[in-house]
Amino acid sequence: MTKPAFSFEFFPAKTEQGHEKLLSTYDELNKLSPAYFSVTYGAGGSTRSRTLDIVQALCARGDTDIAPHMSCIGDDKSEIAELLDLYKSLGISRLVALRGDLPSGQVDIGELPFALDLVKFIREHSGDHFRIEVAAYPEMHPQARSFELDVDNLVNKYKAGANASITQFFYNADSYLYLRERLEKRGIDTVAQPLVAGIMPITNSSNLMRFADSCGADIPRYVRKQLADFGDDSKAIREFGFEVVYRLCERLISEGVPAMHFYSMNKVEPNKRLIEALGLVHQ
Ligand code: FAD
């Protein structure tokens, strides 16, 4: 069976110390030979300089592809065009294109209100230079008017030029498989334009619940209940979390998932452990 490709997501650190630590995390995870690392971006430009700093530092550090995330809500086309040109000049050839969520208090949605508009704009401005990944939601985006309209939106993003999509994290493999089937029925060739599984390792109960609530990801009851039972026993949470995510990945691999994108949370251990246990490291 072909092993899926894998990649890691980082978020920009807030302090100089955090930035240095992230570089050493990169060095450790890079030894596993991932396909690429992506770096998140705060919508409305809230992490613009920090995202740029870490993207530039990572580009200078190794030869693994770096994929900056770009969001469009709240930004002008001119700001986005400037960033695209800068990324091109840095030798970047891959982007994760998102709408983003406006920081609270900010109301101006800007000239490109949806990720679909951003994908179209990138293709207009930069042609086929960038490989574009977009976001996908196996359990539906929380603001979508219906599941069907959310699938329409994803199909439209592929048709506008997205090369692949990366899912929000999920712990129910059937939700991923169902979305993949829906895309295929809508004429998307998921071999040529893959649906990449977004994988969130479980290491901390309260953070996980917070993320899940904010992005509409479902934590199955058997997971939620046991995490609650473990209280602050972090070792028990890590062991149980490893088992849950390992099983999820195993199932996805057996179902032919083409690639997995790990929400690394800027950590080495939980990601490395999963990748090694799943036998994903290419010799
Ligand atoms: P869209 O695809 O534009 O969809 C947003 C919502 O609008 C959906 O509910 C959709 O159904 C609906 N919609 C689409 N078109 C229309 C229309 N014409 N009329 C009405 N409704 C419509 N956020 C960040 O700020 N920075 C990041 O770096 C970041 N990285 C992410 C990486 C991944 C892999 C994922 C899955 C999410 C990431 N996010 C990030 C979060 C993302 O920005 C939010 O989920 C955001 O709310 C939606 O972004 P989107 O690109 O999916 O938007």
Side-chain angles (χ1 to χ4, degrees), residues 9 39-43 69-71 96-101 113-116 134-137 141-146 149-150 153 157 166-168 261 263:
E9 179 177 298
V39 181
T40 64
Y41 183 86
H69 294 206
M70 282 185 86
S71 64
V96 183
L98 305 142
R99 183 195 73 175
D101 294 306
F114 294 106
L116 174 62
V134 291
Y137 300 89
H141 183 265
Q143 291 158 2
R145 281 176 291 170
S146 71
L149 288 172
D150 211 30
N153 179 46
K157 291 193 280 189
I166 306 173
T167 72
Q168 186 55 273
H261 187 66
Y263 294 106

Side-chain angles (χ1 to χ4, degrees), residues 11-244:
F11 56 86
K14 287 192 175 134
T15 60
E16 187 52 36
Q17 202 187 8
H19 181 89
E20 289 307 314
K21 190 158 176 268
L22 187 50
L23 294 180
S24 63
T25 300
Y26 166 86
D27 290 341
E28 283 307 304
L29 291 178
N30 201 26
K31 290 180 190 157
L32 303 170
S33 302
Y36 68 93
F37 289 87
S38 79
V39 181
T40 64
Y41 183 86
S46 55
T47 68
R48 188 181 167 109
S49 65
R50 285 192 282 125
T51 297
L52 261 176
D53 284 351
I54 191 70
V55 164
Q56 282 174 302
L58 295 179
C59 285
R61 202 157 177 103
D63 53 13
T64 306
D65 275 357
I66 304 300
H69 294 206
M70 282 185 86
S71 64
C72 54
I73 198 161
D75 282 349
D76 292 337
K77 284 182 184 176
S78 61
E79 293 169 301
I80 293 172
E82 204 180 290
L83 206 49
L84 288 170
D85 295 342
L86 176 63
Y87 284 147
K88 195 170 173 180
S89 74
L90 290 173
I92 285 165
S93 57
R94 189 190 276 267
L95 296 171
V96 183
L98 305 142
R99 183 195 73 175
D101 294 306
L102 277 181
S104 62
Q106 199 172 323
V107 287
D108 181 6
I109 57 170
E111 294 177 285
L112 303 170
F114 294 106
L116 174 62
D117 305 307
L118 178 61
V119 173
K120 289 179 182 165
F121 183 74
I122 297 171
R123 287 289 175 240
E124 263 165 47
H125 184 81
S126 309
D128 286 335
H129 176 78
F130 295 106
R131 179 181 167 83
I132 304 177
E133 322 262 339
V134 291
Y137 300 89
E139 292 164 352
M140 198 178 101
H141 183 265
Q143 291 158 2
R145 281 176 291 170
S146 71
F147 194 93
E148 194 63 41
L149 288 172
D150 211 30
V151 175
D152 285 350
N153 179 46
L154 179 56
V155 168
N156 291 337
K157 291 193 280 189
Y158 277 114
K159 289 190 173 161
N163 299 95
S165 64
I166 306 173
T167 72
Q168 186 55 273
F169 70 87
F170 60 90
Y171 295 106
N172 179 349
D174 286 324
S175 67
Y176 168 90
L177 298 171
Y178 181 71
L179 179 61
R180 186 171 69 177
E181 203 179 297
R182 290 289 290 270
L183 290 174
E184 281 162 3
K185 283 189 181 144
R186 295 288 304 274
I188 302 298
D189 173 354
T190 59
V191 174
Q193 290 178 295
L195 178 68
V196 175
I199 305 293
M200 177 76 89
I202 299 175
T203 56
N204 177 306
S205 176
S206 53
N207 286 349
L208 181 69
M209 299 307 163
R210 197 161 40 80
F211 292 145
D213 288 345
S214 68
C215 69
D218 185 48
I219 309 290
R221 189 174 161 85
Y222 82 97
V223 175
R224 203 177 265 272
K225 288 288 172 199
Q226 287 186 83
L227 288 175
D229 289 348
F230 294 135
D232 54 11
D233 183 347
S234 51
K235 185 162 186 291
I237 292 173
R238 280 199 307 274
E239 289 310 311
F240 173 67
F242 169 78
E243 195 188 319
V244 168

